[in-house]
């Protein structure tokens, strides 16, 4: 049952793949056609630097608008896309589109920021990932440091040695790496030290009730300290209230991402939040 999400800044319906009247094969066909039909788009959510209050990054988030006007959440279709391997061409489209858009912002004279792209576990385990990233940078002309890849902690942990090797090659290219959903993936501190990453993103489940839940507050404080000890930037995701923002900023969190500081918006809306440099 599609339900209206009144809190979003555009009106749409979200669809639950498992109970929307289409069967699995129909969903697979629709998903296969979506790329060719141009039904995907990216929204961008700002990341705010606490010290300056400025937008210092933006995460590209995939959106699927079907021909009949339904919006389908990535949480719904990415698992299916991963299962049938379609995440590989979709992920390649996302990489190119995000790099192209960021390059266009820079060409239009806006203050440069890195754009962050989510990389699926399936993409990470393929040996052409580094090649695909190199291609996206070359074809769009985006400088490597203006691309950040977000890889979940659990994806990194599925084959630690391969992850270490891939991260090293990506870092040699000059792209930045963030560990997404940090705190949910069981990585040991020993592994963390060996992953060549720049940033930890604290999973939003730890941000909920941070001002009242001692457990979450303690975990978040520990992750901030850990990140800083390792020389990493730390981002809190899913920050929804001014109280959460104040709590995190008082404890030294570097960057904030969440509905409180900015919802995911179109590329055109995002760029208005970056002041031109010339
Ligand atoms: P994620 O990478 O951890 O992204 C954060 C999710 O939290 C996004 O959901 C974002 O819209 C949402 N969010 C941001 N601020 C808040 C907040 O204050 N409160 C709440 N409740 N939620 C907030 P979204 O866009 O639905 O994406 C869900 C997940 O789908 C992402 O989690 C990511 O794992 C995946 N995803 C999205 N785009 C892509 C993509 O291009 N490729 C791949 N492989 N995965 C993607
Ligand atoms: Mg992410
Ligand atoms: Mg996350
Ligand atoms: Mg997530």
């Amino acid at each position: 049952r599609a339900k209206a999400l009144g809190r979003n800044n555009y009106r749409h319906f979200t669809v639950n793949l498992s109970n929307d009247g289409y069967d699995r094969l129909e969903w697979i066909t629709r998903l296969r056609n979506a790329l060719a039909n141009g039904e995907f788009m990216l929204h961008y959510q700002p990341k705010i630097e606490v010290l300056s209050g400025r937008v210092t990054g933006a995460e590209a988030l995939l959106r699927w608008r079907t021909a009949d006007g339904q919006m389908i959440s990535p949480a719904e279709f990415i698992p299916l896309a991963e299962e049938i391997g379609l995440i590989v061409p979709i992920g390649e489209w996302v990489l190119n589109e995000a790099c192209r858009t960021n390059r266009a912002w820079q060409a239009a004279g806006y203050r440069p920021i890195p754009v962050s792209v989510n990389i699926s576990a399936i993409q990470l385990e393929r040996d052409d990932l580094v090649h695909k990233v190199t291609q996206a940078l070359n074809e769009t002309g985006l400088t490597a440091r203006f691309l950040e890849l977000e890889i979940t902690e659990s994806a990194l942990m599925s084959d630690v040695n391969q992850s270490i090797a891939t991260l090293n090659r990506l870092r040699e290219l000059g792209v930045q790496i963030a560990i997404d959903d940090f705190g949910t993936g069981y990585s040991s501190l020993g592994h963390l030290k060996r992953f060549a990453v720049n940033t930890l993103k604290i999973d939003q489940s730890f941000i909920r009730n941070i001002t009242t839940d001692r457990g979450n507050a303690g975990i978040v404080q520990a992750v901030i300290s850990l990140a800083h000890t390792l020389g990493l930037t730390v981002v809190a995701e899913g920050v929804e209230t001014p109280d959460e923002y104040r709590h995190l900023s008082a404890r030294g969190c570097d960057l904030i991402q969440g509905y409180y500081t900015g919802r995911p918006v179109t590329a055109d809306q995002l760029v208005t939040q970056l002041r031109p440099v010339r």
Side-chain angles (χ1 to χ4, degrees):
R1 320 331 350 158
K3 75 171 191 276
L5 286 183
R7 296 188 62 193
N8 274 3
N9 57 354
Y10 54 98
R11 260 189 303 153
H12 68 254
F13 297 92
T14 49
V15 171
N16 185 329
L17 258 54
S18 50
N19 66 354
D20 197 71
Y22 292 95
D23 67 21
R24 188 185 143 81
L25 275 178
E26 288 172 317
W27 274 116
I28 290 174
T29 305
R30 299 183 89 199
L31 197 52
R32 284 194 196 288
N33 293 333
L35 197 55
N37 292 346
E39 293 174 3
F40 289 122
M41 67 178 295
L42 295 180
H43 279 186
Y44 296 87
Q45 186 177 33
K47 302 185 189 191
I48 308 296
E49 185 180 58
V50 171
L51 281 180
S52 65
R54 296 205 303 181
V55 176
T56 56
E59 178 175 5
L61 293 161
L62 187 57
R63 299 292 178 253
W64 178 13
R65 183 193 291 278
T66 64
D68 54 10
Q70 291 173 311
M71 286 288 274
I72 304 180
S73 158
E76 293 286 345
F77 67 84
I78 283 174
L80 178 61
E82 287 177 329
E83 211 182 302
I84 63 178
L86 254 187
I87 192 66
V88 173
I90 294 173
E92 201 177 325
W93 179 84
V94 172
L95 253 178
N96 282 285
E97 175 71 9
C99 289
R100 191 189 62 72
T101 299
N102 197 17
R103 182 71 194 95
W105 290 339
Q106 293 180 7
Y110 289 96
R111 177 170 54 81
I113 58 166
V115 69
S116 306
V117 170
N118 290 286
I119 299 295
S120 150
I122 308 289
Q123 293 171 277
L124 180 67
E125 75 192 15
R126 288 171 55 101
D127 44 22
D128 62 357
L129 176 64
V130 178
H131 176 67
K132 291 286 168 63
V133 172
T134 308
Q135 250 182 354
L137 293 170
N138 287 342
E139 282 171 14
T140 61
L142 185 70
T143 306
R145 70 174 184 280
F146 294 118
L147 174 63
E148 178 177 70
L149 305 180
E150 294 194 4
I151 307 174
T152 64
E153 187 185 14
S154 51
L156 288 171
M157 290 305 297
S158 89
D159 183 341
V160 170
N161 287 324
Q162 199 197 327
S163 294
I164 290 169
T166 304
L167 292 181
N168 286 338
R169 290 171 64 208
L170 290 168
R171 283 294 294 278
E172 270 169 35
L173 267 185
V175 302
Q176 303 191 55
I177 314 280
I179 304 185
D180 205 350
D181 301 351
F182 186 77
T184 64
Y186 311 102
S187 60
S188 76
L189 299 184
H191 291 137
L192 191 55
K193 219 179 73 176
R194 296 169 65 207
F195 289 145
V197 302
N198 311 83
T199 299
L200 298 186
K201 295 190 74 178
I202 306 173
D203 189 69
Q204 51 179 278
S205 59
F206 301 110
I207 307 303
R208 287 293 84 70
N209 308 318
I210 196 180
T211 54
T212 52
D213 181 326
R214 288 249 189 114
N216 276 357
I219 289 167
V220 166
Q221 180 68 85
V223 174
I224 293 171
S225 303
L226 173 65
H228 289 164
T229 299
L230 294 172
L232 307 178
T233 299
V234 61
V235 184
E237 41 177 4
V239 176
E240 293 182 348
T241 68
D243 282 350
E244 289 168 357
Y245 185 98
R246 274 192 292 272
H247 180 103
L248 288 156
S249 96
R251 283 158 187 79
C253 189
D254 303 304
L255 304 181
I256 302 288
Q257 183 181 354
Y259 294 166
Y260 175 62
T261 46
R263 286 171 177 269
V265 293
T266 64
D268 288 346
Q269 289 171 302
L270 190 282
V271 84
T272 63
Q273 303 175 42
L274 304 174
R275 222 163 302 134
V277 289
R278 56 170 195 268

